[in-house]
């Protein structure tokens, strides 16, 4: 079989429509190349990438240090399964444990797999350490959460789009309001079988919802008080995205269980990890959990290289600095067009603006107009536009991108 090579984007769109499942609704842009903060479509048009594959490409597209590690290891050994030791897994486990200050790491592939791993770990801990009766452990989650799309995870989603038509749902979960410390305390008081609270330090898919200052610290204190594990889902907020290595660090919180993924491998491979100390992690024993590809030598080498880029290029600091520039410009734009932009939110380079719902255009239309002007972003929840460029973006590039957003909003306002 040969693949036709063409610069006609409609050819690729039509092929996907014919042979692929219709489980996404992409912008009609067909990308073929990326470098740093830029991507190019099949016609050669250059764009600023302000989605970063949902924060998986924090280090920029095709970073040479990461690609170099990938190609060198790919020619040597890619997969052994966990039936045998390999000479790379221990190195990446040590690297991330020292980086995030935990005793143990358990590597998986996708972010959803890591969340499922954390859930299993919390339940096992509940039965072995907390003394919860077998089958009774409960886990709290927050309203507006997004942790993945497996049947287990959607069981504690309150998004109709994620849930409807996929039941029956997995029991053992309760949803409490996000950013509500009192609601958490009431739930913990009422049910001694609660073993964990799974939460995003900033909710990404919900529209970049930033909780009150000190929220996570108060949550962590309550979890300690009631002997409940805090599971921090930093798959999207971690690895420098919000201006610190982890968003939890804004509240000086070290979660009991840390879940990371996406940028852990710089967008080169699907790699995720769950980190915890020995008293929690060692509740799982051989044969009780695993993954054929989890912890493979190729992923191990790529992950070390990806994290080295984060450290050596001081990307969290750059995310903090450029994020302040971005939000400053967006606040000015909101003042100019308050009837269009109803809110500006974010931290570091995880940001969003809300588009008024009574206009002749939508957030989707804003993203389409931005793409025509050379900037790619994606709407969420119908009225929110997320902006999350690679953390390697320079001050000059950020200024140019803010100009594009301003020009786009100005144009739409005049229509």
């Amino acid at each position: 079989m040969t693949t036709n090579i063409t610069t006609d984007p409609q050819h690729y769109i039509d092929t996907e429509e014919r042979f692929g499942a219709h489980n996404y609704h992409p912008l009609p842009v067909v990308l073929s190349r990326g470098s740093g903060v830029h991507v190019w479509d099949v016609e050669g048009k250059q764009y600023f990438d302000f989605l970063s594959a949902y924060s998986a490409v924090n280090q920029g597209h095709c970073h040479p240090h990461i690609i170099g590690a990938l190609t060198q290891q790919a020619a040597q050994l890619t997969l052994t399964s966990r039936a045998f030791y390999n000479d790379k897994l221990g190195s990446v486990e040590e690297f991330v444990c020292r980086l995030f200050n935990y005793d143990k790491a358990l590597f998986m592939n996708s972010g959803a797999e890591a969340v499922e791993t954390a859930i299993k770990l919390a339940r096992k801990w509940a039965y072995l350490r907390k003394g919860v009766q077998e089958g009774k452990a409960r886990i709290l989650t927050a309203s507006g959460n997004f942790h993945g799309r497996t049947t287990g995870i959607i069981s504690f989603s309150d998004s109709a789009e994620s849930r409807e038509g996929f039941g029956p749902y997995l029991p053992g979960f309760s949803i409490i309001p996000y950013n509500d410390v009192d609601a958490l305390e009431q739930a913990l008081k009422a049910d001694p079988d609660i073993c964990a609270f799974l939460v995003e330090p900033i909710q990404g898919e919900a529209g970049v919802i930033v909780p009150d200052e000190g929220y996570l610290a108060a949550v962590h204190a309550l979890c300690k008080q009631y002997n409940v594990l805090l599971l921090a889902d930093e798959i999207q907020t971690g690895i420098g995205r919000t201006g610190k290595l982890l968003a939890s660090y804004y509240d000086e919180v070290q979660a009991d269980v840390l879940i990371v993924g996406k940028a852990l491998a710089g967008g080169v491979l699907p790699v995720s990890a769950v980190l915890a100390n020995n008293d929690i992690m060692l509740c799982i024993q051989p044969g009780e959990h695993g993954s054929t590809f989890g912890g493979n030598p190729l992923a191990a080498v790529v992950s070390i290289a990806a994290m080295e880029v984060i450290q050596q290029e001081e990307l969290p600091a750059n995310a903090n600095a450029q994020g302040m520039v971005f939000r400053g410009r967006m606040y000015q734009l909101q003042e100019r067009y308050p009837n269009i932009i109803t809110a500006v939110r974010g931290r570091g380079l995880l940001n969003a603006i809300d588009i008024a719902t009574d206009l002749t255009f939508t957030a989707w239309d804003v993203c389409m107009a931005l793409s025509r002007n050379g900037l790619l972003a994606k709407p969420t929840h119908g009225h929110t536009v997320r902006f999350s460029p690679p953390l390697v973006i320079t001050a000059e590039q950020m200024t140019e991108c803010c100009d594009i957003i301003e020009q786009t909003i100005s144009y739409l306002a005049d229509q």
Side-chain angles (χ1 to χ4, degrees), residues 334 337-345 353-366 380-385 409 412:
Q334 183 185 20
Y337 297 106
N339 62 315
I340 296 176
I341 300 175
T342 60
V344 176
R345 295 184 299 279
I353 62 172
D354 285 346
I355 303 299
T357 57
D358 59 351
L359 304 172
T360 58
F361 57 88
T362 65
W364 175 269
D365 297 319
V366 172
T380 183
H381 285 264
H383 66 283
T384 299
V385 181
I409 295 295
L412 291 170

